Amino acid sequence: MGNRFQVRDRFADGAQYIDGRLRSGTSGRSHTVVDPATGREVLTYELAGTADVDEAVAAAVRAFPAWSAATPGERSDALHRLAAVLAGQAGDFAYAESLQCGKPLKLSTEFDVPGTVDNTAFFAGAARHLQGQAAAEYSGDHTSYVRREAIGVIGSIAPWNYPLQMAAWKILPAIAAGNTIVLKPAELTPLTSLMFARAATEAGLPDGVVNIVTGAGRDAGEHLVGHPDVVMTSFTGSTAVGRRVAEIATATVKRLHLELGGKAPFLVFDDADLEAAAHGAVAACLINSGQDCTAATRAYVQRPLHDAFVARVAELMETVRVGDPFAPGTDLGPLVSHAHRDRVAAFVERARAYATVVTGGEAPGGELEAGAYYRPTLITGAAQDSEVVQCEIFGPVLAVLPFDTDDEGIALANDTPYGLAASAWSRDVYRANRATRELKAGCVWVNDHVPIISEMPHGGYKASGFGKDMSTYSFEEYTQVKHVMFDNTAVAAKDWHRTVFGDRA
């Protein structure tokens, strides 16, 4: 696959996609995409500057009138064609995603790419169902109905952990609703976002509907968020950067959607299926090398099961095969960069002063030494207020803490600033149902952790942000609700006018 997909040839014209074509950035600065499994250069490209952002926004402004005026059926047909193009290029997308991110090819092939194709097909259908409230005579003398209208040019910023899926989550609801978009992907991982935009052109979407600017957050990103012709910003990333995005967007009175950090609790009651919980914890902690805002990071296990759970999770973690993302047997690839690997390792090293590292806690050597690898890591004995329990590590690290009563377990699970996702593990339907009510998170799984579906919304509570990706709920972010009211009386002097002037006849 790698022989037929030559990255430098594919992006020879640059890493910006503006008005239907690839071009180079004009910031005067370059950036190198690095394969985190080997440390080797994949692509060096010119970063976007503010002038490139202006050109991309201008292209989106030009494309908006015609695209927003297209019928729902026409937009739906275009997205169905896009889904077909993506499916036809699935192998290239999976290869590029693994190359820039380091995620195992089996994850890109079986999760990232098919999930994106499915999301595209979902929004192709959803484009036909931008419905408002049914018409009715609520006042008695008037007929009212609600229109949902496109709002304009969207300026979105996507993260590096799921570049393809995050690009799709930003682009699809925006354009399905009739908007046009300028997306800034992370500089580390722009390849599949650019490929997605190119696929949109191949599918027949008009030039300027989907634009990509690949630049640094401090200049291209902030300029995009603050641009006067951008009416709404959707950002996925850290809570710290989200605060800065909010400051800029608020200053220009923009709509804002934030999907920020997470520190998902994994709550195991004493009647849970131990084997299921242990397998679930390992998978949910290690997906994408733990670089997932919904990944299980804090396992709270009721005391009767605690020791057995720790032992079984440690045993399973030691079977995980760390290695080359393109090797068939690899379970866990590297983290996205050496700098990020070192950040994760520093959390674990600091934790040794107050907790126990049961397994992992190191970077592998030998043939993997050149990559940004880190072994699956299990920590016990940390206090609730400790760094590894409260802070988002974003790596293959799971902290396990005991609890005694159900009240205590739920309270501990809620005791962080975040609220993106959580899970509860129990055979008791009443116990599990209570947890779904009381866990403060935008998604709560029961006896599983991580699966997502296009039909259901994704978004958080508290410092994890607000607004929804995926599902028809996402249209709340990307449409304007307009009340239309028709007078049905044809009476010139209406009775209510007397409250302003004149007397009742």
Side-chain angles (χ1 to χ4, degrees):
M1 189 181 298
N3 290 332
R4 67 180 177 86
F5 182 86
Q6 298 296 329
V7 172
R8 295 182 191 181
D9 292 343
R10 181 72 67 97
F11 300 105
D13 293 329
Q16 318 300 325
Y17 198 83
I18 299 172
D19 210 13
R21 67 181 182 89
L22 283 170
R23 43 162 284 183
S24 289
T26 61
S27 70
R29 292 179 292 114
S30 64
H31 185 83
T32 298
V33 177
V34 174
D35 174 1
T38 63
R40 299 190 188 111
E41 175 189 347
V42 172
L43 176 73
T44 297
Y45 65 92
E46 297 300 313
L47 288 164
T50 57
D52 303 301
V53 173
D54 290 341
E55 288 192 32
V57 172
V61 169
R62 290 192 299 271
F64 177 74
W67 182 247
S68 61
T71 67
E74 288 168 339
R75 292 198 296 269
S76 175
D77 288 346
L79 291 177
H80 277 301
R81 294 194 301 270
L82 175 56
V85 172
L86 295 172
Q89 299 175 9
D92 283 352
F93 273 99
Y95 176 83
E97 193 79 336
S98 288
L99 184 65
Q100 66 182 351
C101 298
K103 62 182 67 185
L105 187 61
K106 68 177 181 179
L107 182 64
S108 296
T109 301
E110 299 178 29
F111 182 73
D112 297 73
V113 175
T116 300
V117 173
D118 181 75
N119 208 232
T120 307
F122 169 80
F123 277 106
R128 290 180 175 265
H129 299 284
L130 282 166
Q131 297 173 341
Q133 194 169 13
E137 287 67 49
Y138 295 99
S139 77
D141 290 337
H142 306 81
T143 297
S144 289
Y145 65 88
V146 170
R147 291 175 54 89
R148 282 193 180 273
E149 298 179 347
I151 58 176
V153 176
I154 311 301
S156 293
I157 300 176
W160 49 256
N161 57 333
Y162 290 102
L164 176 59
Q165 291 206 77
M166 294 295 100
W169 287 14
K170 302 301 181 195
I171 293 169
L172 291 169
I175 66 174
N179 303 291
T180 55
I181 189 168
V182 179
L183 173 76
K184 192 196 88 67
E187 306 96 294
L188 290 173
T189 55
L191 304 183
T192 47
S193 299
L194 294 163
M195 291 167 64
F196 188 96
R198 179 61 188 166
T201 299
E202 292 176 25
L205 273 76
D207 293 347
V209 172
V210 178
N211 306 276
I212 308 292
V213 289
T214 309
R218 287 288 184 183
D219 42 40
E222 293 196 1
H223 190 62
L224 177 62
V225 174
H227 198 288
D229 290 330
V230 169
V231 299
M232 182 263 190
T233 291
S234 177
F235 170 80
T236 296
S238 71
T239 299
V241 177
R243 291 191 185 99
R244 175 60 180 158
V245 169
E247 289 174 4
I248 300 169
T250 301
T252 50
V253 197
K254 285 180 172 53
R255 286 193 180 200
L256 184 61
H257 164 217
L258 298 175
E259 198 266 89
L260 306 176
K263 190 69 177 174
F266 188 97
L267 185 60
V268 183
F269 294 103
D270 58 13
D271 67 330
D273 181 325
L274 177 62
E275 193 68 7
H279 277 82
V282 173
C285 167
L286 300 184
I287 186 170
N288 202 34
S289 297
Q291 299 165 131
D292 186 312
C293 48
T294 66
T297 59
R298 302 175 289 138
Y300 295 99
V301 185
Q302 208 151 22
R303 206 169 294 275
L305 285 187
H306 176 270
D307 291 351
F309 178 86
V310 169
R312 186 61 176 137
V313 167
E315 183 178 46
L316 290 171
M317 279 187 170
E318 289 166 4
T319 70
V320 172
R321 297 163 295 184
V322 181
D324 177 2
F326 296 99
T330 293
D331 297 319
L332 192 74
L335 283 87
V336 73
S337 69
H338 290 77
H340 185 61
R341 190 271 311 275
D342 293 345
R343 175 184 175 277
V344 170
F347 272 102
V348 177
E349 290 309 304
R350 291 191 295 270
R352 293 183 190 278
Y354 57 80
T356 300
V357 177
V358 177
T359 189
E362 62 181 1
E367 61 183 15
L368 300 181
E369 189 170 4
Y373 293 94
Y374 199 73
R375 294 194 184 281
T377 300
L378 179 63
I379 294 175
T380 61
Q384 176 66 13
D385 62 356
S386 64
E387 183 183 52
V388 293
V389 175
Q390 292 293 323
C391 297
E392 188 173 34
I393 299 173
F394 226 55
V397 180
L398 177 66
V400 182
L401 292 81
F403 70 92
D404 291 303
T405 67
D406 290 15
D407 288 349
E408 181 190 12
I410 292 171
L412 290 170
N414 285 331
D415 182 30
T416 70
Y418 301 104
L420 185 59
S423 65
W425 297 73
S426 174
R427 291 185 173 97
D428 185 328
V429 66
Y430 299 103
R431 202 176 209 182
N433 197 33
R434 178 196 174 188
T436 65
R437 293 193 308 271
E438 297 185 15
L439 288 170
K440 303 303 181 186
C443 176
V444 179
W445 294 280
V446 177
N447 295 327
D448 209 342
H449 193 115
V450 163
I452 53 175
I453 50 176
S454 297
E455 292 81 359
M456 290 290 115
H458 178 84
Y461 286 33
K462 302 188 292 186
S464 291
F466 48 83
K468 299 299 179 184
D469 287 308
M470 300 200 299
S471 83
T472 56
Y473 289 97
S474 64
F475 286 138
E476 300 298 326
E477 320 303 328
Y478 296 101
T479 57
Q480 180 68 265
V481 174
K482 177 187 287 183
H483 171 214
V484 178
M485 195 175 202
F486 279 87
D487 170 58
N488 293 330
T489 67
V491 173
K494 295 178 173 59
D495 185 58
W496 73 267
H497 293 175
R498 69 181 177 82
T499 64
V500 181
F501 71 99
D503 300 315
R504 187 189 297 274

